[in-house]
């Protein structure tokens, strides 16, 4: 990027370039095909003599051997790039996003959900317009559009996007819940499996707008074309709607979903699985599906069957390997579902609206911070055993909270904060300041602390604005969430994806602050990669890494990456 003082250049350290020994890896930066600098302690550089016409490339020197140079690039004129959008209609807004390399060119792309103005929460009646999903490259090319049709209701809890390379062919696929009337990215109705003989003209919604009858599917679509690859029946059917906690269609259609590296047949394979969750207030289910060799199949299903104590899940799910056995657990909030699909533990704190999962207590592995609805307050507990580090109850429905290392002065644990619990040390429950806010978090400036993202702005927890977009809009009403935050490009710090208020484009913002802190790209940490995939689910939550980033941090774990 062209900045005051020259050109800011940043690049990624890939997980396979990291050995755990800092001196093993350095980078040579080239400008206009001539060596500019050898960089040993960072993955960014400020070229004071750079200009808008300069061309930069970089090579990795690993244990003394220089690898190939990257393709040359020219600087952006500002700290963002725009992806032009075409809305499905005037009543649609660009909403939640996800990411994966859809076309196999080695660059991450964007999957975007369009939200109609008549979308509804599950507790609200009303007919909604169709939901559309688009695929775009970061360079601005629209790859496809999928129309989910009249039998998928619009709202934050219905369509959860799973994006990853599920079969290991080098291209990411997209998966979600579908139904008769869904059209793939080529404009064709679904035709695989149970969809081959359905009635695509049928409309199953009732007078209140709920869809409580008719077939339900999961479909995998090709990342480059949006073409249907395979379709199967949804793994947990509606059955008796009353068994989910009400009789009108609210709780039966509360879905979560994303991607996780779970076990298949008791073995962690290293390939990601599609995760679908249905229900969480009373009956709680989590399903793992695989897409291998062109076939979508059920791997395992966890089903609480009977009522959970005070409800068993949150308005979101996340994944992390809580016991270091190579397979990721699915954390629903109060419960941890083992990577093989059985109940691992239950903190029995009930249903909640938000949760954050990372090494929230230094040296203690994966921890879970969740806010509570029925019990009020919040807690932080061990992800593997559900043993609590602190518990606060009371105060009514606690609707939002956040947890991370934001510079409290007590770096033994992250800051667990919400409006009902205040700001507490995640490990002890002791009061600390400043707080982690109650919305999104992002790595942005030159230090190791996380910044606060809310609406269309980034601020430091200690005060001070770092970014604000006046012509951008946030999503999901009062939740004020971005389209996406993720480490999409540049160094290990994250990008912020916001929609323009006019919905004419997405803006992908990146930091231009030089830092001497060097970490491999966060997308090569399996916890972070899975949590980026879950980020769009229901009440959106920001992704976290599976290790401690902060003052006095140890060297990150070496990722188990095998390059073909």
């Amino acid at each position: 990027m062209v900045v005051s003082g020259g050109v800011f250049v940043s690049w990624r350290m890939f997980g396979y370039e990291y050995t755990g020994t800092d001196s093993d890896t350095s980078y040579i930066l080239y400008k206009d095909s001539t060596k500019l600098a050898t960089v040993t302690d960072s993955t960014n550089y400020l070229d004071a003599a750079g200009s808008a016409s300069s061309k930069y490339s970089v090579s990795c020197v690993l244990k003394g051997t220089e690898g190939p140079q990257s393709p040359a690039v020219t600087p952006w004129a500002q700290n963002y790039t725009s992806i032009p959008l075409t809305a499905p209609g005037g009543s649609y807004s660009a909403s939640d996003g996800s990411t994966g390399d859809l076309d196999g060119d080695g660059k991450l792309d964007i999957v975007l959900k369009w939200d109609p103005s008549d979308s509804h929460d599950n507790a609200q009646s009303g007919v909604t317009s169709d939901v559309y999903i688009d695929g775009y490259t970061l360079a601005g090319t629209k790859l496809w559009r999928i129309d989910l049709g009249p039998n998928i209701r619009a709202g934050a809890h219905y369509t959860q996007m799973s994006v990853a390379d599920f079969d290991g062919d080098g291209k990411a696929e997209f998966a979600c819940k579908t139904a008769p009337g869904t059209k793939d990215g080529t404009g064709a109705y679904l035709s695989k499996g149970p969809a081959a003989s359905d009635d695509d003209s049928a409309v199953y919604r009732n007078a209140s707008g709920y869809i409580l009858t008719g077939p339900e599917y999961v479909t995998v679509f090709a990342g480059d074309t949006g073409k249907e690859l395979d379709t199967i029946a949804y793994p947990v059917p509606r059955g008796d709607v009353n068994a989910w906690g009400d009789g009108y269609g609210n709780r039966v259609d509360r879905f979560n979903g994303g991607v996780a590296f779970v076990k298949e047949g008791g073995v962690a394979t290293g390939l990601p699985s599609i995760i679908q969750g249905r229900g969480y207030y009373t009956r709680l289910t989590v399903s793992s599906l695989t897409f291998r060799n062109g076939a979508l199949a059920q791997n395992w299903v966890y089903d609480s069957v009977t009522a959970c104590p005070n409800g068993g899940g949150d308005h979101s799910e996340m994944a992390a390997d809580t016991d270091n056995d190579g397979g990721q657990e699915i954390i629903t909030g109060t419960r941890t579902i083992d990577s093989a699909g059985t109940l691992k533990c239950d903190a029995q704190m009930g249903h909640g609206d938000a949760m954050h999962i990372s090494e929230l207590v230094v040296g203690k592995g994966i921890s879970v911070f969740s806010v509570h609805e029925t019990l009020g307050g919040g807690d932080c507990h061990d992800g593997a055993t559900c043993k609590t580090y602190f518990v606060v109850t009371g105060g009514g429905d606690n609707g939002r909270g956040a947890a991370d290392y934001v510079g409290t002065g007590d770096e033994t644990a992250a800051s667990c904060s919400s409006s009902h619990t205040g700001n507490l040390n995640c490990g002890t429950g002791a009061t600390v300041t400043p707080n982690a806010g109650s919305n999104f978090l992002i790595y942005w400036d030159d230090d190791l602390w996380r910044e606060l993202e809310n609406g269309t702005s980034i601020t430091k927890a200690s005060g001070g604005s770092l970014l604000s977009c006046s012509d951008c809009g946030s999503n999901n009403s009062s939740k004020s969430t971005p389209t996406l935050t993720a480490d999409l490009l540049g160094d290990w710090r994250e990008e912020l994806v916001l929609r323009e208020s006019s919905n004419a484009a997405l803006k992908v913002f990146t930091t231009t602050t030089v830092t001497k802190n060097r970490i491999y790209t966060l997308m090569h940490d399996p916890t972070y990669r899975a949590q980026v995939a879950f980020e769009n689910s229901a009440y959106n939550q920001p992704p976290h890494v599976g290790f401690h980033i902060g003052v006095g941090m140890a060297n990150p774990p070496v990722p188990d990456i095998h390059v073909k």
Side-chain angles (χ1 to χ4, degrees), residues 129-131 147-153 179-183 205 211:
S129 302
D130 288 7
V131 175
D147 178 358
L148 294 183
N151 296 310
I152 297 293
R153 200 165 185 246
T182 295
K183 293 181 181 179
R205 63 179 175 236
I211 302 161

Side-chain angles (χ1 to χ4, degrees), residues 479-490:
K479 298 298 184 287
S480 299
T481 53
T483 291
L484 182 67
T485 59
D487 180 10
L488 298 173
L489 40 83

Side-chain angles (χ1 to χ4, degrees), residues 60-85:
C60 175
V61 181
L62 184 60
K63 295 183 178 180
T65 301
E66 182 180 0
Q69 292 182 38
S70 66
V73 297
T74 55
W76 294 359
Q78 64 282 312
N79 65 339
Y80 67 87
T81 186
S82 292
I83 300 174
L85 303 176

